[in-house]
Amino acid sequence: MKALQITNLEKTYANGFHALKGIDLEVSQGDFFALLGPNGAGKSTTIGVITTLVRKTSGKVTVFDFDLDTKMVEAKSMIGIVPQEINFSQFESPLEIVLNQGGYYGIKRKQARERAKKYLTQLGLWEKRNDPSRTLSGGMKRRLMIARALIHEPQLLILDEPTAGVDVELRRSMWQFLRDINRKGTTILLTTHYLEEAESLCRNVAIIDRGQIIENSSIRSLLSKMHFETFILDVDRAIETLPLLEGFTLYKTEDDTVLEAVISKGQNLNELFTLLSEKGIRIISMRNKSNRLEELFVRLLDKNNREAI
Amino acid sequence: MSHSNLYLTAFSTIVIKEIDRFTRIWLQTIIPPAISMALYFLIFGNLIGTRIGQMQGFTYVQFIAPGLIMMSIINNSYANVVSSFFGAKFQRHIEEMLVAPIPNIIILAGYIVGGIARGLLVGIVVTIVALFFTKLDIHSFAITIGVVVLSCILFSLGGFINAVFARKFDDISIIPTFILTPLIYLGGVFYSIDLLPDFWQNASKLNPILYIVNAFRYGIIGISDINIVSAFLIIILFIIILFSVCLYLLNTGKGIRS
């Protein structure tokens, strides 16, 4: 079953801006799906349409086969949303915010209290449950929005840049939390600017640019399209003149003890190490220049930009 | 879960949240009207009123008491919805309701009942204050309660429309300052329109608040410048019009959906 099915979705805002140009997208039940794209590409508009905060111009959205237009209650009951911006009352406590959200989804107070305790505890907010929410740190506010989105235990959780501005440690713990709830059966649709996040968490990805989906596949098959990777090599001494290595491209960096090596698909890293060793250069450590998905993402967008021009 | 159970729970959540909101800030919502009323009764009722003498067979303070109570009810039911709904829009937590499976009519009903609750509570408080200054025998409980509830509904709807169109906090005080307050003061709170020249008597009849004040005055002390049935019909007519406007605005997402 499809958790989310978007067919020929169009959105033109009142100012004439054509934000979505006939998007088709499918997210399978149980998937952890990334929707990626640069700023203004249409990610938030797409999520806005799914959550009904944005009125679509045309097209169809179904959530677990419930049409958002004709089976609004059933479709919306399936969705939990963690928005990009903080959007809860700064004067209410975390407990009130979560309980009220439960009420909006028809959850009785007694059951809502049990669930609020469960999710606020899991997200490390139970001790703060009665504090005014404006006194919470940025990371706590983000976690509160996740707890709020889960109070009705949705089948489809939509996270619009949930870890923006969150420190690394907290981001990792949020990733683990999201992996756990996905493992328990919740389908997750994630938008993020951290491509490392998408690569680490998601199985499938769609890339949207200028209101159109320009790539839609599994992360694995997307990464397999990479024709070359750039590695950073820390070497044991300063290199004044770059050695010529047959079949490999090396670049110097501002630091004489650091080289960049471009490795094409099918080339062997061992061969590079051997050639460097023959030139008397020992490699101390090695790392990717950038996240693999990020490299692909940038190339896809460049290609799309060139085609648009 | 059946739809009706979901709607009922969502509705009661909005109502409880609204009541909790205005009772939590009681120093801003409940006490000021009580103090204002005490000052009105002291100045217009006891100090100036004793020099005015009787009005249609009642002391001046008895005559103005229903109008002053109704003024508080109108202002507070309006203020509750306009400030709460605009605040929710401004802080964007209105989105909590908009993403939930709640029909627009339930959202509207929740805010209206919140406005009724504040209007009634303030009405009770200022009535208690009034009783320190004058004796009030209720002429008709049914008419009194009926007109209070209908007025709360009407001005809650007005507050809702104001909140939908408001873009900044200044916008939520424009209507109360420049329209509502003049209409209330010219709506027969302090005088009988029988005292006005014919032209102004007829002009006053275009003011919907005149009907509300007179219907309420009839419910409490049994006198009115206006036919009671006409008054109720006009209030109900305005409610139907404003309710339709509110629903239209919600359904089209004016000011709340892109």
Side-chain angles (χ1 to χ4, degrees):
Chain A
M1 181 188 269
K2 298 295 173 201
L4 176 68
Q5 193 156 22
I6 295 174
T7 312
N8 201 20
L9 185 62
E10 297 255 354
K11 172 64 187 177
T12 305
Y13 284 99
N15 62 6
F17 177 60
H18 198 179
L20 300 178
K21 299 166 184 166
I23 280 182
D24 293 308
L25 192 68
E26 286 185 354
V27 178
S28 298
Q29 184 173 10
D31 200 357
F32 205 136
F33 192 97
L35 180 61
L36 308 177
N39 287 333
K43 303 185 297 289
S44 293
T45 299
T46 306
I47 288 177
V49 170
I50 300 166
T51 55
T52 71
L53 291 174
V54 174
R55 300 166 68 82
K56 64 182 161 64
T57 305
S58 64
K60 188 177 175 184
V61 178
T62 59
V63 182
F64 289 93
D65 291 342
F66 293 117
D67 190 318
L68 206 51
D69 293 327
T70 55
K71 292 279 181 187
M72 182 272 281
V73 172
E74 290 81 357
K76 280 181 154 187
S77 296
M78 295 283 181
I79 304 172
I81 170 76
V82 180
Q84 197 174 340
E85 312 252 349
I86 305 296
N87 72 341
F88 49 74
S89 169
Q90 303 287 313
F91 300 103
E92 290 173 5
S93 69
L95 186 60
E96 286 172 316
I97 289 165
V98 173
L99 289 178
N100 284 338
Q101 191 70 11
Y104 301 149
Y105 283 84
I107 313 288
K108 301 280 183 204
R109 276 278 146 147
K110 187 169 176 284
Q111 191 179 18
R113 278 187 185 281
E114 289 166 8
R115 289 189 188 176
K117 184 173 184 184
K118 175 181 160 188
Y119 290 114
L120 289 175
T121 304
Q122 283 181 11
L123 287 155
L125 291 168
W126 184 244
E127 298 300 315
K128 299 275 184 184
R129 65 188 179 280
N130 292 319
D131 292 0
S133 59
R134 65 181 175 277
T135 63
L136 300 180
S137 68
M140 286 175 176
K141 286 177 180 171
R142 295 239 162 245
R143 281 180 280 155
L144 173 55
M145 293 202 294
I146 296 178
R148 183 184 63 179
L150 291 172
I151 190 69
H152 62 289
E153 303 196 328
Q155 295 295 302
L156 172 63
L157 181 64
I158 299 172
L159 301 124
D160 195 0
E161 299 187 23
T163 55
V166 169
D167 66 47
V168 176
E169 191 184 359
L170 182 58
R171 191 183 305 162
R172 302 270 164 176
S173 74
M174 281 169 75
W175 287 5
Q176 193 52 50
F177 180 80
L178 295 175
R179 276 194 198 101
D180 287 344
I181 58 169
N182 177 245
R183 204 171 293 130
K184 288 173 188 164
T186 307
T187 309
I188 297 180
L189 172 62
L190 170 82
T191 78
T192 179
H193 274 123
Y194 302 111
L195 299 183
E196 177 203 2
E197 186 165 89
E199 188 176 344
S200 168
L201 292 171
C202 302
R203 286 185 282 280
N204 293 296
V205 62
I207 296 177
I208 183 171
D209 189 30
R210 299 162 195 260
Q212 290 175 312
I213 301 286
I214 58 169
E215 183 67 51
N216 189 354
S217 66
S218 70
I219 296 255
R220 184 177 296 184
S221 103
L222 189 62
L223 291 175
S224 72
K225 290 182 183 174
M226 286 192 79
H227 297 298
F228 52 85
E229 279 186 82
T230 307
F231 291 93
I232 303 290
L233 309 175
D234 295 306
V235 295
D236 63 341
R237 60 183 170 82
I239 307 291
E240 287 180 11
T241 312
L242 273 176
L244 284 171
L245 305 179
E246 196 179 336
F248 291 96
T249 313
L250 288 181
Y251 296 100
K252 280 184 76 172
T253 66
E254 287 188 4
D255 184 343
D256 287 342
T257 62
V258 177
L259 299 177
E260 277 186 24
V262 180
I263 311 292
S264 302
K265 198 174 180 180
Q267 277 189 316
N268 192 329
L269 272 173
N270 282 335
E271 200 180 327
L272 173 68
F273 296 156
T274 307
L275 289 171
L276 283 170
S277 188
E278 283 170 1
K279 301 280 181 189
I281 300 169
R282 287 180 57 219
I283 297 162
I284 299 168
S285 63
M286 184 184 83
R287 62 190 181 279
N288 274 92
K289 185 180 181 184
S290 60
N291 173 269
R292 293 180 303 163
L293 187 58
E294 191 170 311
E295 267 188 50
L296 262 175
F297 178 76
V298 171
R299 280 180 213 157
L300 281 168
L301 292 184
D302 278 349
K303 185 175 166 226
N304 194 45
N305 283 343
R306 282 197 302 273
E307 285 170 2
I309 292 165
Chain B
M1 178 187 292
S2 70
H3 287 193
S4 54
N5 278 345
L6 188 155
Y7 298 161
L8 193 62
T9 307
F11 170 73
S12 61
T13 302
I14 300 170
V15 172
I16 291 167
K17 183 180 167 174
E18 283 301 291
I19 293 173
D20 184 53
R21 190 194 71 85
F22 74 73
T23 51
R24 187 168 42 197
I25 50 170
W26 57 275
L27 264 173
Q28 296 171 45
T29 52
I30 310 299
I31 300 300
I35 292 172
S36 299
M37 280 309 109
L39 291 170
Y40 273 118
F41 282 118
L42 187 68
I43 295 164
F44 291 100
N46 284 21
L47 301 180
I48 297 173
T50 49
R51 291 166 184 258
I52 293 173
Q54 296 252 313
M55 184 85 74
Q56 294 183 347
F58 290 89
T59 64
Y60 188 62
V61 70
Q62 279 178 321
F63 180 83
I64 64 170
L68 289 176
I69 294 167
M70 182 49 76
M71 183 162 80
S72 295
I73 291 169
I74 288 172
N75 280 331
N76 280 276
S77 52
Y78 188 96
N80 196 66
V81 180
V82 74
S83 58
S84 179
F85 194 76
F86 179 72
K89 247 178 65 173
F90 188 79
Q91 289 192 62
R92 297 184 56 178
H93 59 87
I94 188 66
E95 291 175 6
E96 293 175 340
M97 286 178 218
L98 299 180
V99 300
I102 319 174
N104 290 328
I105 197 166
I106 299 288
I107 296 176
L108 182 59
Y111 274 96
I112 290 170
V113 173
I116 293 172
R118 178 159 155 194
L120 282 177
L121 183 61
V122 168
I124 290 166
V125 169
V126 297
T127 302
I128 292 168
V129 170
L131 291 173
F132 284 100
F133 295 91
T134 186
K135 186 170 173 286
L136 293 172
D137 293 321
I138 305 292
H139 175 72
S140 165
F141 270 105
I143 289 175
T144 303
I145 299 296
V147 77
V148 165
V149 172
L150 290 175
S151 304
C152 288
I153 293 171
L154 179 59
F155 288 94
S156 296
L157 290 166
F160 193 91
I161 294 170
N162 190 170
V164 166
F165 284 102
R167 290 176 176 226
K168 51 189 189 296
F169 276 99
D170 289 349
D171 296 344
I172 66 172
S173 60
I174 287 173
I175 303 287
T177 305
F178 295 103
I179 297 178
L180 209 50
T181 304
L183 286 180
I184 292 170
Y185 279 76
L186 298 172
V189 172
F190 296 100
Y191 54 84
S192 163
I193 59 164
D194 289 345
L195 300 175
L196 301 175
D198 283 349
F199 174 79
W200 289 111
Q201 273 192 37
N202 290 328
S204 294
K205 286 177 183 170
L206 297 174
N207 178 358
I209 291 176
L210 180 79
Y211 298 86
I212 293 170
V213 167
N214 275 279
F216 189 59
R217 183 175 284 137
Y218 181 84
I220 292 190
I221 60 177
I223 57 165
S224 171
D225 297 334
I226 304 289
N227 177 280
I228 295 303
V229 176
S230 310
F232 270 90
L233 288 177
I234 283 173
I235 297 168
I236 290 167
L237 176 68
F238 271 97
I239 286 174
I240 291 168
I241 293 169
L242 294 198
F243 186 81
S244 306
V245 172
C246 286
L247 262 190
Y248 172 78
L249 292 172
L250 273 173
N251 289 339
T252 52
K254 174 78 184 170
I256 50 174
R257 295 185 206 261
S258 307

